[in-house]
Amino acid sequence: MKRYYVLISCLLVFLITGCSEQTMTYEGESTNWKVIYKIIQNEKEVKRQSVEIQSIGGIQKSNITFKQTNPRGSGCESYFDYDIEGDKKLIRGCLDEPRLDNKDDSFDVFIAWDGQEEKIDLKKKQAN
């Protein structure tokens, strides 16, 4: 009988931890941009994601294109005008599946404006 209680307890713990949400934060900076990408996910799906984009240097930039490619080749593009007075721009990310926890986890995004483009390597920020 004790074996059944132990087995059921282990299964419940496994189910609870397997479905729990985790927040992952990636950050990166280029010459003109700083990007913070936050992902809230569980093992099966991405629940929420946001991209915070900040201009470095205070130069007015317009007609911005944010590009992201996902590990399996899919991706998205977002278009917006950047308002220096607003300091930061928040847009929705476009991951279509969860990112697996990996100690060297990083990915690239691209920001293009006025005929220029910069690649920003986003690296996973360690949780405190």
Side-chain angles (χ1 to χ4, degrees), residues 30-41:
S30 67
T31 304
N32 290 285
W33 302 98
K34 179 178 180 179
V35 176
I36 300 172
Y37 200 125
K38 291 185 181 181
I39 304 163
I40 299 173
Q41 66 179 24

Side-chain angles (χ1 to χ4, degrees), residues 103-119:
K103 68 179 181 179
D104 295 325
D105 205 9
S106 66
F107 62 99
D108 294 330
V109 296
F110 299 86
I111 298 180
W113 75 101
D114 299 332
Q116 299 180 56
E117 182 176 79
E118 289 183 351
K119 176 176 104 171

Side-chain angles (χ1 to χ4, degrees), residues 63-127:
N63 299 319
I64 310 299
T65 303
F66 174 85
K67 299 177 194 175
Q68 175 185 343
T69 303
N70 298 325
R72 294 200 175 165
S74 63
C76 72
E77 291 186 10
S78 297
Y79 306 96
F80 60 91
D81 283 328
Y82 188 84
D83 177 13
I84 295 300
E85 302 301 320
D87 190 36
K88 298 175 185 171
K89 181 72 174 178
L90 192 65
I91 63 173
R92 190 179 187 296
C94 65
L95 286 176
D96 52 3
E97 59 187 51
R99 296 190 65 80
L100 301 176
D101 197 15
N102 181 332
K103 68 179 181 179
D104 295 325
D105 205 9
S106 66
F107 62 99
D108 294 330
V109 296
F110 299 86
I111 298 180
W113 75 101
D114 299 332
Q116 299 180 56
E117 182 176 79
E118 289 183 351
K119 176 176 104 171
I120 301 146
D121 182 33
L122 301 182
K123 296 190 188 272
K124 187 175 179 184
K125 185 177 176 184
Q126 298 299 322

